[in-house]
């Protein structure tokens, strides 16, 4: 497992003094990026190969949000690949080894010349070593479906600060869009995201929000009704955001 240590900064916390959901996602993304860079198969290497890893979906379980100043360790490992996909797990732990966050993810390899997915080869993943064992999790229950009853949210304008080095909206920003659209006020304990289409600067994102069985599902759509991403969030019962 690849790991790095950190400490929760003031710039990463919300009004409750704890690391935000976006902050957690950023730590997980940073961990996989650090591993790729340290293994010499990072952004510059992939640009030379005319390839890029794109996040297709992930599932995140949050046991506890760490507080300001708390020491944390973030880890990740490659779990295997099949066809166009690569699979990766993540963990976040406190200084005593208690598991704060667990996540699994599915990525696909994109050919930057023709903008089409391409098959993952041994060369593409060799630097990560032998695949590790995945975290035991219940099977994903199919695609995320929006409940039949939903409400329309206000359109969101994509600005330059939402964009990453792939020149489209960063993965974490879609979750932030969904949380704001849903006006979620309780901590999220489970999160699923499916990424469908990349939004770029200048685009408008149209949220469609459904609520069912203690969970919120937000489809983030383009003007033609096609999804950029679909986000499913389960809130911790009985906990307000300042608890």
């Amino acid at each position: 497992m690849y790991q790095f240590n950190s400490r929760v900064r003031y710039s990463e916390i919300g009004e409750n003094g704890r690391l935000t959901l976006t902050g957690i996602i950023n730590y997980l993304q940073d961990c996989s990026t650090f591993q790729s860079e340290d293994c010499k198969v990072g952004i510059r290497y992939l640009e030379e190969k005319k390839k890029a890893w794109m996040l297709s979906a992930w599932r995140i379980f949050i046991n506890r949000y760490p507080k300001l100043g708390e020491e944390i360790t973030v880890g990740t490992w490659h779990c295997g690949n099949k066809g166009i996909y690569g699979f990766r797990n993540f963990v976040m732990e406190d200084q005593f080894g208690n598991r704060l966050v667990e996540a699994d993810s599915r990525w696909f390899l994109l050919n930057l010349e023709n903008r089409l997915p391409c098959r993952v080869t041994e060369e593409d993943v060799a630097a990560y070593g032998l695949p590790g064992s995945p975290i035991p999790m219940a099977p994903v229950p199919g695609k995320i479906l929006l409940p039949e009853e939903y409400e329309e949210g206000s359109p969101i304008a994509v600005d330059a600060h939402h964009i990453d080095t792939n020149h489209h909206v960063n993965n974490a920003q879609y979750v932030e869009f969904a949380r704001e659209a849903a006006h979620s006020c309780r901590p999220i304990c489970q999160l699923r995201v499916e990424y469908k289409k990349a939004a770029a600067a200048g685009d408008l994102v149209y949220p469609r929000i459904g609520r069912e069985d203690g969970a919120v599902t937000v489809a983030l759509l383009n003007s033609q009704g096609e999804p950029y991403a679909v986000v499913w969030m389960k809130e911790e019962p009985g906990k307000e955001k300042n608890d």
Side-chain angles (χ1 to χ4, degrees), residues 53 82-86 107-110 117-120:
W53 285 105
K82 182 177 182 181
I84 65 172
Y85 294 109
W107 304 70
F108 70 90
L109 194 60
L110 182 70
C118 57
R119 181 173 292 274
V120 179

Side-chain angles (χ1 to χ4, degrees), residues 143-155:
K143 294 183 179 180
I144 304 173
L145 300 178
L146 190 67
E148 294 183 3
E149 296 184 4
Y150 60 84
E151 60 187 270
E152 302 281 355
S154 300

Side-chain angles (χ1 to χ4, degrees), residues 7 27 39-40 49 59 88 94 98 105 108 135 168 194 204 209 220 237-238 243:
R7 191 178 180 191
Y27 267 114
C39 291
K40 311 302 180 186
K49 294 291 184 178
R59 187 167 40 153
R88 176 176 289 276
D94 66 15
N98 298 311
S105 61
F108 70 90
I135 298 171
H168 56 64
E194 294 174 356
L204 285 176
I209 307 108
L220 300 167
D243 284 359

Side-chain angles (χ1 to χ4, degrees), residues 3-7 72-74:
Q3 294 180 317
F4 80 96
N5 299 319
S6 189
R7 191 178 180 191
I72 58 174
T73 299
V74 188

Side-chain angles (χ1 to χ4, degrees), residues 9-230:
R9 301 168 177 85
Y10 184 79
S11 58
E12 298 170 331
I13 63 173
E15 60 183 301
N16 61 354
R18 295 180 181 271
L19 184 63
T20 63
L21 178 60
T22 301
I24 287 174
I25 295 171
N26 284 334
Y27 267 114
L28 303 186
Q29 292 186 139
D30 288 345
C31 191
S32 60
T33 300
F34 288 159
Q35 183 184 28
S36 295
E37 293 295 327
D38 288 353
C39 291
K40 311 302 180 186
V41 289
I43 293 174
R44 182 170 296 180
Y45 169 87
L46 289 169
E47 287 177 346
E48 292 174 353
K49 294 291 184 178
K50 307 297 184 185
K51 295 179 179 180
W53 285 105
M54 299 293 180
L55 185 59
S56 173
W58 63 6
R59 187 167 40 153
I60 302 174
F61 294 84
I62 303 169
N63 298 317
R64 181 174 71 81
Y65 287 78
K67 297 179 180 179
L68 170 65
E70 194 167 345
E71 295 179 1
I72 58 174
T73 299
V74 188
T76 187
W77 62 97
H78 166 64
C79 298
N81 55 274
K82 182 177 182 181
I84 65 172
Y85 294 109
F87 306 97
R88 176 176 289 276
N89 277 184
F90 298 86
V91 294
M92 178 184 290
E93 297 179 344
D94 66 15
Q95 61 183 320
F96 305 108
N98 298 311
R99 189 69 55 88
L100 304 175
V101 177
E102 295 182 330
D104 65 355
S105 61
R106 181 179 71 236
W107 304 70
F108 70 90
L109 194 60
L110 182 70
N111 182 315
L112 295 177
E113 292 185 311
N114 60 19
R115 307 302 298 182
L116 294 174
C118 57
R119 181 173 292 274
V120 179
T121 68
E122 184 176 345
E123 179 184 3
D124 295 317
V125 295
Y128 300 120
L130 294 175
S133 298
I135 298 171
M137 292 183 180
V140 175
K143 294 183 179 180
I144 304 173
L145 300 178
L146 190 67
E148 294 183 3
E149 296 184 4
Y150 60 84
E151 60 187 270
E152 302 281 355
S154 300
I156 301 165
V158 176
D159 293 324
H161 67 273
H162 298 131
I163 307 301
D164 62 18
T165 58
N166 292 312
H167 310 296
H168 56 64
V169 173
N170 184 265
N171 300 319
Q173 292 295 330
Y174 291 103
V175 177
E176 194 66 22
F177 291 166
R179 285 208 69 185
E180 291 181 359
H183 303 293
S184 178
C185 63
R186 292 189 176 96
I188 302 300
C189 60
Q190 292 185 41
L191 174 74
R192 289 180 61 199
V193 188
E194 294 174 356
Y195 298 95
K196 307 290 188 178
K197 185 181 179 69
D203 288 340
L204 285 176
V205 178
Y206 298 86
R208 186 176 290 176
I209 307 108
R211 305 175 193 274
E212 190 174 64
D213 299 329
V216 181
T217 303
V218 182
L220 300 167
L221 311 175
N222 64 14
S223 58
Q224 286 76 45
E226 301 166 331
Y228 290 118
V230 183

